[in-house]
Amino acid sequence: MVDLEGVVRSHPIKKDSWKTLLTLAYQSLGVVYGDLSTSPLYVYKSTFAEDIHHSETNEEIYGVLSFVFWTLTLIPLVKYVFIVLRADDNGEGGTFALYSLLSRHARVSSLPNCQLADEELSEYTKDGVVSTSNSAFGSSLKSTLEKHRVLQKVLLILALIGTCMVIGDGVLTPAISVFSAVSGLELSMSKEQHRYVEVPVACVILIFLFALQHYGTHRVGFLFAPVVITWLFCISSIGVYNIFRWNPQVYQALSPYYMYKFLKKTQKGGWMSLGGILLCMTGSEAMFADLGHFSQLSIKIAFTFVVYPSLILAYMGQAAYLSEHHVIQSDYRIGFYESVPEKIRWPVLAIAILAAVVGSQAIITGTFSIIKQCSSLGCFPRVKIIHTSSKIHGQIYIPEINWTLMLLCLAVTIGFRDTKSMGNASGLAVITVMLVTTCLMSLVIVLCWHKSIFLAICFILFFGSIEALYFSASLIKFREGAWVPVALSFIFLVVMYVWHYGTFKKYEFDVQNKVSINWLLSLGPTLGIVRVRGIGLIHTELVSGIPAIFSHFVTNLPAFHQVVVFLCIKSVPVPHVGPEERFLVGRVGPKEYRLYRCIARYGYRDVHKDDIEFERDLVCSIAEFIRSERPECDVSLEKLEDDEKMTVVGTSSSNLDGIRMSVDDADFSEMASTSELQEIRPTEKPKKRVRFVVPESPQIDREAVEELQELMEAREAGMAFILGHSYVKAKRGSNLMKKLVINVGYDFLRRNFRGPTYALSIPRASTLEVGMVYHV
């Protein structure tokens, strides 16, 4: 499997060669369409489970086929392929990508420490994100969103509901896909026997699937596309065979007239059966959510020319078979395998199980990605993220989430033991995500695309009414399985909102309790204590000002480091931040204080580097700031405090003309053309020899040379990470709800999830944690 991210980025869509495009389209079949392609396994079975019955007139089966055809045509094909895929966030898709896009246009970001400097990022303003042309309604809508915090919270909760339903789908999709694939065993044994075989076999496959997540998918990823292509060829061939073998006139049922006849005859039962029909578009959201790994055109080609026709032929073939077979021995035999010719049922069963595993794999990986995005944007507690591939971007594994999904998946499989209830549950999760996407897209049309309000209203009325019809049919099945995604989503939503609220309140406390610059100046350059060799990194969420924890250190510790860096590692509402724009570096106080502020910026899809590489980049960014700083920059303290005056510095790998740092085994041959700073030789032999390699031009002044020598000395002595271990408590007089959220909910999450030391990849040996109580 190739590095998909690299392919997409090195070949923009306008310059894609046909070979690259078709390669991406081929690979997307395995990653994106596994879930959607396995839907024929359970759509008819779920639809005819209870509410309607197959009759001699064929009006029911023709009506269902007509609904399936027009649903697949209007939602996945028209809505997603031709409209929603265009609303990408610099190539990324999904619910959070839409929210990120909107938050940049209307400044309604959920991140508390946003800066004006972030708006200068290349991905922030790419593709016309910041546009001067806007309609009068768009301008008023934007100002309304920016003024009212309630509307901003509604928008955030809407995005979180969609996200939580995607996570719920990560539980339900593997269960229903694997269970439906294994249900082929029912045709080779009696109903009494298969009941005791089906569930254990499905559970074994699910345990095997989740146990393999730790190894990543890159080793077997090359098999995904062939499996799905084989499956699509299989179901489309069987479909064509059944059409010509049993009912060549079945194509007439594609007419919308049959939908009218179906509803007229079945009435309430027909409306309730829509909860089963909507399962035909399960996995459509993956086209948008997985956009970051492919290109728009490759996904469009794969769906329009391969997946869509294969699914239509499969559903037509099943309908043709059932239209000539009215005497079904029992209800459970109306499933997919009944229409498969008996001679090839066992090979088809094997391919179906493989396809179900591939489809489940895609949704599990997608769940990991969306949890990472939520965590990056401050809406989910910190979790352990393992990158399973060094070559393929986005291949991650989260142990806590993986085992939670597995337990929930097994509970659903063992608890329901039938496709009907699983279908009811999965259907509600799928249609809720689509409704959220429709709502967010209507805002994107006005705020981001600057189209008329008329187009946005037409979009939400047309697609929203179709999805609302399916949503109502799913919701009516609440007691028959649809309660599961509601319960799961509610739990995840509470966790997300409690964490977001607690984090936001903690940041507000930090801002309100910042130390004044006058206090710092009153201490003098020594800060009133002994300054020892070394670099002290003080982690803070603040992007300006001096954190209260610093005054706590200075007043309680007898000595402090020679160089102090206020380090803020923050996420910005863009998918990726380029290495050349990674750091914002500035000063805190006058030069002789040797206090710096460094802000490391990451997008919500970025991979955080390991601690050694990050340390090197951090020190080099400060050194480059010292070298390139203009003399006029330190005239006014106000300018030093202002985050807008901070300097953008790239990583050492991206800034080839900047300062390079060499540790221990420096190669003198490659430094021949550069002017090297004097090596500092302390009296004791240091553990590491550190030197900076400075370009010959431009020339730097003596003060900068001395400052670089001090930084070099400090780096040789080592770095210490100082973190505030916060205990957040609600203020006295707070209402009961706030006390429950902060003192119980947020405190529980803080204690039971990962701490900041893990999230920042900080070596524990060099970490000092100091406890502080926050009364918010």
Side-chain angles (χ1 to χ4, degrees):
M1 197 169 182
V2 300
D3 183 353
L4 305 178
E5 193 76 15
V7 172
V8 176
R9 292 196 176 176
S10 58
H11 300 278
I13 189 63
K14 292 181 181 177
K15 298 180 182 179
D16 265 349
S17 65
W18 278 105
K19 184 179 178 181
T20 305
L21 201 61
L22 292 176
T23 301
L24 286 174
Y26 166 77
Q27 290 170 340
S28 73
L29 289 169
V31 176
V32 178
Y33 297 111
D35 187 13
L36 186 61
S37 65
T38 53
S39 57
L41 285 170
Y42 45 79
V43 168
Y44 282 123
K45 192 171 184 179
S46 298
T47 305
F48 287 95
E50 187 177 33
D51 304 306
I52 57 174
H53 301 282
H54 188 32
S55 67
E56 297 283 345
T57 61
N58 286 329
E59 286 182 350
E60 292 86 0
I61 193 64
Y62 287 165
V64 170
L65 175 60
S66 186
F67 264 105
V68 167
F69 172 76
W70 287 105
T71 301
L72 279 173
T73 303
L74 293 175
I75 304 298
L77 187 63
V78 177
K79 177 188 166 184
Y80 278 95
V81 169
F82 292 111
I83 301 175
V84 175
L85 284 182
R86 293 179 57 222
D88 65 299
D89 181 15
N90 294 287
E92 298 294 335
T95 307
F96 254 100
L98 286 177
Y99 177 74
S100 172
L101 205 59
L102 288 168
S103 67
R104 299 211 302 275
H105 279 81
R107 291 184 184 175
V108 292
S109 175
S110 62
L111 296 167
N113 53 0
C114 291
Q115 299 168 274
L116 288 173
D118 297 337
E119 296 183 16
E120 297 173 8
L121 290 167
S122 56
E123 288 207 359
Y124 201 103
T125 56
K126 197 184 287 183
D127 300 326
V129 163
V130 176
S131 177
T132 54
S133 60
N134 204 347
S135 64
F137 181 83
S139 299
S140 62
L141 180 62
K142 177 183 174 183
S143 61
T144 304
L145 281 172
E146 289 177 349
K147 286 178 186 175
H148 296 86
R149 288 286 298 275
V150 175
L151 293 178
Q152 294 175 22
K153 287 183 179 179
V154 168
L155 192 64
L156 174 64
I157 290 172
L158 188 66
L160 290 180
I161 287 171
T163 303
C164 291
M165 282 295 181
V166 171
I167 297 170
D169 201 23
V171 173
L172 297 164
T173 294
I176 191 171
S177 297
V178 171
F179 190 84
S180 299
V182 172
S183 67
L185 296 170
E186 67 193 15
L187 296 178
S188 59
M189 58 185 70
S190 67
K191 186 173 182 178
E192 288 72 23
Q193 287 178 318
H194 100 268
R195 262 193 324 187
Y196 299 104
V197 174
E198 199 172 24
V199 174
V201 171
C203 288
V204 168
I205 293 172
L206 288 171
I207 292 170
F208 177 74
L209 172 64
F210 283 100
L212 286 180
Q213 296 302 312
H214 176 72
Y215 299 99
T217 58
H218 58 284
R219 292 184 179 88
V220 292
F222 67 94
L223 293 173
F224 286 1
V227 167
V228 175
I229 287 173
T230 305
W231 170 248
L232 289 171
F233 174 76
C234 184
I235 61 174
S236 57
S237 301
I238 293 169
V240 170
Y241 168 80
N242 283 329
I243 290 169
F244 286 102
R245 173 75 173 82
W246 302 109
N247 188 357
Q249 305 302 314
V250 75
Y251 69 88
Q252 294 177 0
L254 302 182
S255 168
Y257 174 68
Y258 283 89
M259 289 193 289
Y260 167 74
K261 287 181 68 177
F262 170 77
L263 290 175
K264 185 179 178 182
K265 180 181 178 181
T266 56
Q267 296 180 359
K268 185 182 177 182
W271 165 64
M272 293 176 71
S273 71
L274 294 178
I277 294 171
L278 74 86
L279 293 174
C280 70
M281 49 184 177
T282 302
S284 300
E285 188 73 22
M287 282 192 284
F288 186 44
D290 292 329
L291 185 59
H293 296 298
F294 304 96
S295 62
Q296 286 184 30
L297 194 53
S298 64
I299 288 179
K300 289 177 180 179
I301 288 171
F303 182 78
T304 309
F305 297 104
V306 181
V307 179
Y308 177 73
S310 298
L311 290 175
I312 297 299
L313 286 172
Y315 286 116
M316 287 176 67
Q318 280 183 264
Y321 177 87
L322 292 171
S323 67
E324 297 298 318
H325 294 78
H326 303 98
V327 182
I328 307 296
Q329 292 180 18
S330 57
D331 288 339
Y332 75 94
R333 290 189 175 239
I334 203 169
F336 168 79
Y337 292 102
E338 184 71 25
S339 63
V340 178
E342 195 170 346
K343 292 182 179 179
I344 59 170
R345 276 180 187 166
W346 284 105
V348 170
L349 174 65
I351 298 168
I353 291 173
L354 288 175
V357 168
V358 170
S360 303
Q361 174 62 55
I363 193 71
I364 293 167
T365 305
T367 304
F368 292 157
S369 296
I370 207 160
I371 291 287
K372 179 183 179 293
Q373 289 179 30
C374 292
S375 185
S376 298
L377 294 173
C379 292
F380 200 84
R382 301 179 190 94
V383 288
K384 183 179 183 180
I385 297 174
I386 299 171
H387 296 275
T388 57
S389 173
S390 58
K391 296 181 179 179
I392 305 171
H393 180 84
Q395 290 287 344
I396 61 173
Y397 167 71
I398 305 176
E400 299 99 318
I401 301 299
N402 182 65
W403 302 121
T404 303
L405 288 180
M406 187 192 79
L407 292 174
L408 291 171
C409 204
L410 291 173
V412 167
T413 306
I414 297 168
F416 285 147
R417 297 189 299 278
D418 69 277
T419 311
K420 182 188 77 171
S421 299
M422 291 184 198
N424 293 338
S426 182
L428 185 61
V430 168
I431 202 63
T432 306
V433 175
M434 291 183 174
L435 269 172
V436 169
T437 300
T438 301
C439 294
L440 294 178
M441 268 301 302
S442 61
L443 291 174
V444 167
I445 290 171
V446 176
L447 292 174
C448 307
W449 294 353
H450 310 297
K451 303 295 183 184
S452 70
I453 184 64
F454 177 73
L455 279 176
I457 291 173
C458 287
F459 178 85
I460 199 168
L461 283 179
F462 182 73
F463 293 109
S465 59
I466 295 171
E467 289 161 1
L469 179 67
Y470 282 119
F471 181 77
S472 64
S474 292
L475 203 58
I476 205 74
K477 303 286 186 65
F478 186 84
R479 297 177 63 183
E480 286 124 36
W483 61 270
V484 171
V486 175
L488 290 175
S489 299
F490 179 75
I491 293 168
F492 277 103
L493 184 63
V494 168
V495 168
M496 288 180 177
Y497 198 78
V498 164
W499 183 260
H500 172 71
Y501 180 78
T503 305
F504 190 80
K505 285 296 179 184
K506 180 174 172 291
Y507 181 78
E508 276 187 345
F509 180 89
D510 283 336
V511 171
Q512 291 166 5
N513 291 273
K514 287 193 294 188
V515 178
S516 69
I517 191 73
N518 292 328
W519 172 82
L520 183 72
L521 293 173
S522 68
L523 296 176
T526 62
L527 303 179
I529 52 177
V530 179
R531 301 289 291 270
V532 296
R533 287 182 61 201
I535 298 177
L537 290 179
I538 300 177
H539 178 253
T540 175
E541 298 295 329
L542 293 176
V543 292
S544 63
I546 303 168
I549 197 170
F550 181 64
S551 65
H552 185 71
F553 293 147
V554 171
T555 53
N556 288 280
L557 295 177
F560 214 72
H561 298 87
Q562 173 186 2
V563 174
V564 176
V565 181
F566 296 108
L567 173 64
C568 173
I569 299 177
K570 72 169 193 172
S571 295
V572 288
V574 294
H576 304 281
V577 175
E580 68 281 358
E581 300 174 307
R582 176 73 66 215
F583 296 104
L584 277 174
V585 185
R587 290 189 184 278
V588 179
K591 272 189 178 182
E592 59 269 20
Y593 281 58
R594 300 296 190 254
L595 266 63
Y596 307 93
R597 181 182 313 287
C598 188
I599 300 171
R601 301 178 292 182
Y602 290 89
Y604 57 81
R605 295 273 295 181
D606 276 334
V607 176
H608 288 233
K609 293 183 176 180
D610 61 69
D611 54 310
I612 297 173
E613 192 176 356
F614 180 77
E615 283 179 22
R616 179 186 291 267
D617 285 341
L618 179 67
V619 175
C620 282
S621 70
I622 296 171
E624 182 61 26
F625 166 75
I626 295 169
R627 182 183 76 91
S628 59
E629 186 182 22
R630 295 178 182 177
E632 64 266 25
C633 285
D634 65 332
V635 172
S636 168
L637 288 176
E638 287 79 9
K639 287 186 178 180
L640 286 172
E641 284 191 287
D642 188 358
D643 64 275
E644 288 185 289
K645 301 301 179 184
M646 296 182 76
T647 304
V648 177
V649 183
T651 60
S652 55
S653 59
S654 67
N655 190 10
L656 299 178
D657 297 327
I659 287 182
R660 311 299 295 276
M661 187 173 81
S662 179
V663 181
D664 289 333
D665 50 349
D667 186 356
F668 290 94
S669 62
E670 66 181 41
M671 299 177 191
S673 62
T674 62
S675 61
E676 186 178 321
L677 290 177
Q678 182 76 26
E679 278 189 43
I680 305 298
R681 290 186 171 86
T683 52
E684 294 182 14
K685 189 176 179 181
K687 294 180 181 178
K688 290 183 180 179
R689 288 173 49 203
V690 177
R691 68 173 63 83
F692 290 130
V693 183
V694 185
E696 291 181 347
S697 63
Q699 293 294 324
I700 55 177
D701 58 27
R702 180 174 295 276
E703 279 189 16
V705 171
E706 290 176 359
E707 197 170 353
L708 285 171
Q709 285 177 331
E710 252 186 79
L711 181 64
M712 191 164 59
E713 268 191 5
R715 179 64 189 92
E716 273 189 350
M719 300 175 76
F721 294 84
I722 300 143
L723 298 101
H725 197 78
S726 57
Y727 297 89
V728 184
K729 300 291 181 185
K731 290 179 185 175
R732 287 186 179 180
S734 299
N735 58 51
L736 181 62
M737 182 58 71
K738 184 176 180 180
K739 287 180 178 178
L740 282 174
V741 169
I742 297 295
N743 296 350
V744 180
Y746 184 77
D747 189 61
F748 174 81
L749 295 174
R750 182 189 62 79
R751 290 174 184 273
N752 290 279
F753 280 85
R754 304 279 171 171
T757 50
Y758 177 82
L760 303 179
S761 298
I762 292 171
R764 291 185 177 273
S766 59
T767 303
L768 171 65
E769 290 193 51
V770 178
M772 284 191 72
V773 178
Y774 288 67
H775 291 283
V776 299

